Amino acid sequence: MQNSTQTNIIELEIDGKTVRGNQGDTILEVAKQNGIEIPTLCHMDQLEPTGACRMCLVELMENNELTTSCTRPAEDGMVVETENQRIRKARKLNLELLVSNNNEIVDCDRDEARCEFAKLLKEYDVDLDYFTGEKREHDKIEDNPFFELDHDKCILCGRCVRACEEIRGRSAIDFVGRGFETKISPPMDRSLTEGTCQFCGQCVDSCPTGALTSKMRIKKGDPSDLEKHSTICTYCGIGCRMNVYTRDNEVVDVSPDPEAPANDIRICSKGRFGFDFVNREDRLKTPLVKKDGDFTEATWNEALDLVSNKLTDIKESSGSDSIAGLSSATCTNEENFLFQKFMRAAIGTNNVDHCARLCHASTVAGLVRAFGSGAMTNSIAEIKNADTILVTGSNTTESHPIIGLEVVKAVENGANLIVADPREIDLVKENECLHLRQNSGTDVAWMMGLINIILEENLWDKDFVESRTEEFEEMKKSALDYPPERVEEITGIKKEKLRKAARIYANADRASILFAMGITQHSHGTDNVLAAANLAMITGNVGKESTGVNPLRGQNNVQGACDLGALPNVYSGYQNVEVKENQKKFEKLWEKQLSPDPGLTVVEIVNEAGKGNVKGMYIMGENPMVSDPDLGHVEDCLNNLNFLVVQDIFMTETAELADVVLPASSFLETTGSFTNTERRVQKFDQAIDPVGDSKPDWQIISELSTKMGYPLNYSSAEQITDEIAEVTPIYTGITAERIDDKQGLQWPCVTGDCTGTKFLHEGEFSRGLGKFHALSYRAPMETPDDDYPFTLTTGRTYYHFHTRSMTGRSYGLNEMVPEPYVEINPADAESMDIDSGDKLEVTSRRGQITIKAKVTDRVPSETVFIPFHFAEAAANKLTNSVLDPVAKIPELKVAAVKIRKAD
Ligand code: SF4
Ligand code: SF4
């Protein structure tokens, strides 16, 4: 990309018009800034210009020189023509040369607007046979599940090669051969860790001819009649904006939206190729009611009457608090708002929670205590400008791939990278990364150890601490208990390394902490988050650009589900249910008496179901039979319910246990908004009609509530968006109309005309002063012993998502990682005579699974890692349901297990 950091303004004439630009800009850039279009082919704004295809030729009138405008710097006083007979002739000749070696060059399988080359051939009336001669003949490359490479359509412009290298940092695709035989050769090694291709599709998106084409797209008919819709990815919390192309209610292609605020022109394999689940045959298409153990089809009326009657019976006989609901981090803001409103106003209980309890409940609890707000303090775009990044408990490149790219970009810009993780994740291979390989569950110790060193070496920010914080002395006293020697004993991190990390972090001007479930899913998860907040405050690294404490939220709308009150202790906007004024405010708005008692959390709901105290459950879009800890216990508890209704798009493992299953529409079949990990509320379009008789979740909730005597009559999702803005202070300015563009708005947005908040706590914390917390290290509740000598830790993989209800039904993603595996260190494998591929029995105090071994030094000795996605060898059969006392998050990250080779 051209660097135009200089601010000196230049003036020149282009096509007879006086225009201005910045010194250092190319002619192409100045023309573009001034609305003058110059055709390009090998050029992309995001790539270093090469001038190779010579389509962007312009004429410098001073000496009649034809020059490539993408490489030529604009100069003060220049006179440039971008269109004349000479230029057109030269461009046409270049195009004729480009087609001269190819067979099928114009048969692009995409719409003309996206097939740039076909468009140019037409515009310049190119004679395809102007140059006769030998044509290149190469085989098509088709042996991967995502895209094809048809060399006959390739013009060797190299955009794919540069996109892979410059945008994705992979260099997985390159030119091979010489002269006439030169061709593009993509890698076909499908292993993420050993190979280099991530099947992100950046090369496919950058190809101007259709030589690289998504398999989803191929043989799907005339490309000219596709409908284009702007949507937000349904997988991770980054909230990538993308365009979905559809025809006849089917998803035919996906590409990143160039106007996307969070992801620029990048998406990952899941967003690019993983939406085919929407059109899978096994989508739930009609309501189902269980009779004598089997599901039978029912009409909506029959199913909703049954749900309404059963829930009403339970409410009348056992009270409102004997019913509980799980809302969903994959549903829209509007649906989450409505679900909690239904549970609170129609059912009369605060027993409403969702899967944030299993991932970032400790983040919300910790950051609210320390800063007054439980969200990511800074924005994704700021990460690349940090000068130090501390990543802990986040396998960023796999779980949040676009943020992973931003971290890598920061390192390329010269940032220091510190990674604290028991596993050797991909980020540790980055240049000069300092890897702190702590023992699982010892995070309070190493973070307080860093603070100890920062205090000892006088590296702390006294001004910030004095003017912006409170309770420093208590925290300082507790930090003195963590000298490096003790920290080394607890964590296994060498004291010299710890000292080095402390100095790097404390000496940074802009240090950013990124974290995820690796530090939150612990019985002391809240303490871990408080330790990160202590660390940021003692060095003044919060409240300014490119710094902060940044939880990377997991599911696409987990931030929104929390914001909109799908939590047992708060209404939307974190308005506490125990505060009388809040209760009164919502009672007035909803015209219903509300419960003042906080409700039960996810694991508590399940436990109370087991005890018979929770008798009815309504689960919308969640799959606790894979996601929750100690699955054997979860199954017993759910089976103990008097009535279970599940609303989902597929027959999940949880839906199998239900009495009634309600078919919901997917995100592509509805409208609404999602809030991404950086607090950005983004609206998206409906792309296809609901599949079968399925309905959007908000409509189902409204109809059920109305049947239960609490009418919820909304004519559109937008009406709910506006109601949210009315009752939720941090969303005040986030009306349907104001987010009706591609940028969305970042909360807090507390006035009707506010433009959103890029980073939090500037000048003042949300709670006034930032609060330090004294902390003492507590070991995980279950550590290895003679009976269970291994530590089990769990996490995500790049190609799958959560309980695999969607990615498991995506053809390509599932082919990449079709089965579960357990990572085991080579030393342990050797001592137990285990090879990769061997079947192992992994047993904890709660259950046993049989699973294939993957021998790798990514995990340290005596630790094993299992991705939590697979129901057939569910890691959560083994995990521990013990809770963090504050956030009530279970200790999913550490359990003790034993291993033996299966018979
Ligand atoms: S799919 Fe992504 S990683 Fe693979 S070759 Fe293309 S750009 Fe490179
Ligand atoms: S999974 Fe995350 S990174 Fe991938 S496309 Fe979706 S939002 Fe973007």
Side-chain angles (χ1 to χ4, degrees):
M1 215 179 318
Q2 196 71 18
N3 182 2
S4 58
T5 49
Q6 295 163 9
T7 50
N8 290 352
I9 302 294
I10 52 168
E11 205 169 79
L12 56 154
E13 188 184 304
I14 303 182
D15 294 343
K17 193 172 147 193
T18 303
V19 294
R20 295 174 131 211
N22 295 315
Q23 203 145 36
D25 286 352
T26 62
I27 297 172
L28 182 68
E29 283 169 329
V30 176
K32 208 168 178 181
Q33 287 155 20
N34 288 279
I36 299 164
E37 208 179 312
I38 299 175
T40 57
L41 203 50
C42 69
H43 179 80
M44 278 172 67
D45 287 348
Q46 294 81 1
L47 301 177
E48 284 293 335
T50 61
C53 73
R54 298 183 64 77
M55 271 312 291
C56 67
L57 285 177
V58 294
E59 187 168 352
L60 306 182
M61 301 318 287
E62 190 185 335
N63 55 4
N64 298 109
E65 179 192 346
L66 285 183
T67 185
T68 48
S69 61
C70 71
T71 52
R72 186 68 172 251
E75 289 168 25
D76 208 34
M78 251 180 182
V79 179
V80 181
E81 277 193 8
T82 70
E83 277 286 321
N84 61 34
Q85 227 182 352
R86 188 171 168 229
I87 296 169
R88 282 191 75 82
K89 205 171 155 195
R91 286 180 189 154
K92 185 174 177 183
L93 185 67
N94 291 336
L95 289 168
E96 280 159 351
L97 282 165
L98 283 172
V99 292
S100 64
N101 297 331
N102 296 62
N103 280 320
E104 296 177 36
I105 200 81
V106 287
D107 185 21
C108 177
D109 198 22
R110 290 189 287 191
D111 54 308
E112 199 181 274
R114 294 176 63 216
C115 189
E116 300 162 45
F117 193 53
K119 216 164 114 187
L120 286 171
L121 294 179
K122 202 165 159 191
E123 191 184 325
Y124 283 81
D125 193 21
V126 169
D127 178 354
L128 301 179
D129 297 316
Y130 187 77
F131 291 101
T132 52
E134 203 183 341
K135 302 280 184 193
R136 272 197 298 258
E137 297 228 359
H138 294 297
D139 291 339
K140 262 190 201 168
I141 296 182
E142 303 172 299
D143 66 343
N144 76 81
F146 300 114
F147 54 80
E148 277 188 15
L149 171 54
D150 184 350
H151 292 291
D152 286 345
K153 294 178 184 167
C154 174
I155 55 169
L156 298 174
C157 67
R159 247 162 66 162
C160 55
V161 174
R162 289 183 293 137
C164 182
E165 187 184 336
E166 293 175 31
I167 300 175
R168 310 306 292 219
R170 305 299 296 182
S171 301
I173 187 168
D174 208 348
F175 293 103
V176 291
R178 291 173 157 237
F180 190 70
E181 289 305 315
T182 306
K183 62 178 181 177
I184 296 294
S185 175
M188 289 303 138
D189 184 342
R190 299 187 192 170
S191 156
L192 174 68
T193 43
E194 288 119 39
T196 49
C197 181
Q198 280 195 315
F199 297 101
C200 63
Q202 198 77 52
C203 50
V204 178
D205 294 322
S206 67
C207 175
T209 70
L212 277 158
T213 309
S214 158
K215 281 191 173 168
M216 217 195 257
R217 178 73 196 80
I218 290 167
K219 297 196 184 102
K220 293 277 173 69
D222 182 359
S224 63
D225 64 352
L226 294 178
E227 290 172 26
K228 180 170 136 185
H229 313 271
S230 182
T231 194
I232 307 293
C233 180
T234 190
Y235 291 115
C236 89
I238 293 173
C240 291
R241 186 174 276 286
M242 50 192 60
N243 292 318
V244 173
Y245 298 82
T246 63
R247 184 198 293 114
D248 299 335
N249 231 34
E250 195 184 349
V251 178
V252 178
D253 206 356
V254 176
S255 69
D257 187 327
E259 293 171 60
N263 52 302
D264 194 8
I265 56 162
R266 303 159 300 178
I267 49 179
C268 79
S269 197
K270 291 187 285 291
R272 185 68 177 76
F273 302 109
F275 290 174
D276 46 341
F277 73 86
V278 168
N279 294 110
R280 281 286 296 237
E281 253 317 294
D282 60 343
R283 275 286 301 275
L284 289 169
K285 298 188 184 92
T286 185
L288 300 170
V289 171
K290 202 176 262 173
K291 284 187 186 139
D292 302 326
D294 292 321
F295 284 114
T296 55
E297 292 189 358
T299 64
W300 272 106
N301 231 352
E302 287 163 353
L304 289 179
D305 276 346
L306 182 61
V307 177
S308 163
N309 292 339
K310 288 283 185 185
L311 292 180
T312 305
D313 283 353
I314 294 172
K315 184 176 158 182
E316 284 171 1
S317 61
S318 307
S320 298
D321 286 339
S322 60
I323 299 174
L326 295 185
S327 197
S328 171
T330 198
C331 290
T332 64
N333 285 332
E334 292 70 20
E335 288 158 348
N336 277 286
F337 179 79
L338 221 55
F339 190 88
Q340 58 94 35
K341 182 174 174 180
F342 167 77
M343 291 303 296
R344 293 190 155 112
I347 301 284
T349 180
N350 284 315
N351 287 343
V352 53
D353 206 2
H354 72 288
C355 66
R357 188 67 48 198
L358 307 174
C359 61
H360 274 285
S362 34
T363 297
V364 178
L367 292 186
V368 165
R369 277 166 175 73
F371 300 159
S373 172
M376 191 162 160
T377 57
N378 291 61
S379 297
I380 295 168
E382 293 171 44
I383 294 170
K384 62 177 174 299
N385 297 321
D387 62 14
T388 291
I389 299 178
L390 168 56
V391 179
T392 181
S394 157
N395 183 2
T396 323
T397 54
E398 291 199 54
S399 298
H400 295 89
I402 304 306
I403 293 182
L405 291 174
E406 293 295 291
V407 174
V408 171
K409 204 185 276 178
V411 174
E412 282 166 9
N413 291 344
N416 300 298
L417 177 62
I418 305 165
V419 172
D421 203 301
R423 285 174 82 217
E424 211 162 76
I425 57 172
D426 284 354
L427 274 184
V428 307
K429 295 179 205 138
E430 289 303 316
N431 193 23
E432 295 191 21
C433 171
L434 182 62
H435 184 195
L436 309 178
R437 204 170 194 181
Q438 79 275 38
N439 298 327
S440 293
T442 61
D443 304 288
V444 164
W446 69 261
M447 283 190 267
M448 292 302 277
L450 291 183
I451 292 172
N452 179 295
I453 295 164
I454 288 166
L455 288 167
E456 183 204 325
E457 298 194 6
N458 213 11
L459 300 173
W460 53 292
D461 186 335
K462 293 170 198 66
D463 287 347
F464 187 91
V465 169
E466 271 164 28
S467 62
R468 300 279 317 267
T469 68
E470 60 183 0
E471 305 202 10
F472 171 69
E473 288 303 326
E474 290 81 345
M475 189 283 297
K476 182 178 167 187
K477 220 164 116 197
S478 74
L480 297 179
D481 285 342
Y482 298 91
E485 296 71 21
R486 179 170 178 238
V487 172
E488 183 172 331
E489 258 171 50
I490 298 171
T491 66
I493 300 169
K494 295 274 175 238
K495 53 183 188 290
E496 299 76 24
K497 259 194 175 182
L498 195 74
R499 205 168 275 284
K500 189 172 172 190
R503 288 173 185 157
I504 291 173
Y505 183 80
N507 286 322
D509 282 335
R510 299 175 308 282
S512 173
I513 298 175
L514 308 181
F515 71 91
M517 299 191 293
I519 69 161
T520 60
Q521 291 178 324
H522 292 275
S523 56
H524 47 265
T526 307
D527 286 355
N528 288 346
V529 175
L530 290 171
N534 284 344
L535 190 54
M537 284 192 290
I538 199 174
T539 52
N541 275 304
V542 63
K544 56 183 188 181
E545 198 148 342
S546 298
T547 62
V549 182
N550 296 294
L552 308 182
R553 306 300 299 258
Q555 186 98 29
N556 65 325
N557 199 35
V558 68
Q559 183 66 56
C562 291
D563 297 346
L564 277 312
L567 296 170
N569 58 335
V570 287
Y571 303 112
S572 63
Y574 305 96
Q575 300 172 81
N576 198 312
V577 297
E578 290 178 283
V579 174
K580 227 22 243 142
E581 301 89 78
N582 295 339
Q583 194 194 331
K584 288 217 163 346
K585 169 181 159 180
F586 281 91
E587 282 182 343
K588 197 167 162 208
L589 286 163
W590 294 348
E591 296 173 343
K592 200 78 189 186
Q593 198 180 337
L594 301 174
S595 166
D597 306 320
L600 299 168
T601 60
V602 169
V603 176
E604 289 171 334
I605 290 171
V606 169
N607 289 342
E608 292 306 309
K611 290 180 201 157
N613 297 327
V614 167
K615 298 181 190 308
M617 257 185 100
Y618 179 10
I619 300 180
M620 173 176 80
E622 298 242 321
N623 191 9
M625 276 303 297
V626 182
S627 62
D628 286 19
D630 192 1
L631 289 178
H633 172 68
V634 175
E635 185 170 7
D636 291 344
C637 294
L638 294 184
N639 278 330
N640 199 40
L641 288 165
N642 291 3
F643 183 71
L644 172 63
V645 50
V646 172
Q647 184 168 307
D648 214 312
I649 61 172
F650 290 110
M651 181 59 78
T652 62
E653 291 74 11
T654 306
E656 296 277 4
L657 304 182
D659 298 287
V660 176
V661 177
L662 303 174
S665 304
S666 76
F667 74 113
L668 290 180
E669 295 145 51
T670 188
T671 55
S673 62
F674 292 135
T675 305
N676 78 351
T677 188
E678 56 173 0
R679 299 169 277 105
R680 188 183 298 277
V681 186
Q682 304 186 85
K683 204 172 160 199
F684 60 94
D685 299 339
Q686 179 175 349
I688 57 173
D689 295 331
V691 167
D693 276 344
S694 71
K695 295 186 184 194
D697 291 276
W698 67 268
Q699 283 180 18
I700 305 173
I701 302 163
S702 300
E703 286 174 32
L704 177 61
S705 189
T706 305
K707 273 189 190 290
M708 289 186 71
Y710 185 74
L712 290 175
N713 295 316
Y714 297 95
S715 56
S716 67
E718 279 87 352
Q719 218 185 334
I720 310 170
T721 318
D722 288 344
E723 183 176 324
I724 292 169
E726 259 174 63
V727 304
T728 313
I730 55 174
Y731 275 59
T732 297
I734 305 181
T735 59
E737 191 190 352
R738 296 195 75 228
I739 52 169
D740 200 11
D741 70 10
K742 302 237 173 121
Q743 299 305 301
L745 281 167
Q746 284 175 281
W747 69 258
C749 194
V750 293
T751 60
D753 59 357
C754 100
T755 51
T757 309
K758 190 169 142 189
F759 60 91
L760 303 176
H761 316 308
E762 186 178 16
E764 191 182 32
F765 282 94
S766 303
R767 68 181 296 281
L769 292 174
K771 186 174 175 183
F772 280 106
H773 285 80
L775 297 171
S776 44
Y777 165 71
R778 287 178 287 129
M781 296 301 276
E782 194 178 68
T783 48
D785 56 20
D786 289 347
D787 294 332
Y788 296 91
F790 285 88
T791 297
L792 165 71
T793 189
T794 64
R796 267 198 239 163
T797 65
Y798 175 74
Y799 290 105
H800 281 297
F801 204 72
H802 283 23
T803 69
R804 244 174 104 251
S805 57
M806 296 182 288
T807 53
R809 289 175 170 89
S810 167
Y811 160 73
L813 298 175
N814 209 36
E815 191 171 306
M816 293 304 290
V817 183
E819 58 181 358
Y821 58 87
V822 52
E823 289 182 357
I824 182 165
N825 183 274
D828 298 325
E830 195 184 340
S831 71
M832 297 170 74
D833 191 26
I834 292 168
D835 290 321
S836 280
D838 285 350
K839 290 259 178 173
L840 306 183
E841 270 175 17
V842 185
T843 311
S844 77
R845 289 182 175 86
R846 292 154 293 279
Q848 184 182 87
I849 58 172
T850 303
I851 189 168
K852 265 191 185 170
K854 185 171 181 179
V855 179
T856 169
D857 51 17
R858 286 192 110 195
V859 282
S861 186
E862 295 171 12
T863 294
V864 291
F865 168 84
I866 301 178
F868 53 56
H869 313 289
F870 295 87
E872 57 270 41
N876 281 329
K877 278 192 177 158
L878 312 172
T879 48
N880 194 349
S881 62
V882 63
L883 301 181
D884 173 301
V886 179
K888 309 281 177 72
I889 190 171
E891 188 146 70
L892 291 157
K893 273 290 176 284
V894 185
V897 294
K898 61 184 172 189
I899 289 168
R900 64 179 284 270
K901 263 172 114 167
D903 296 330

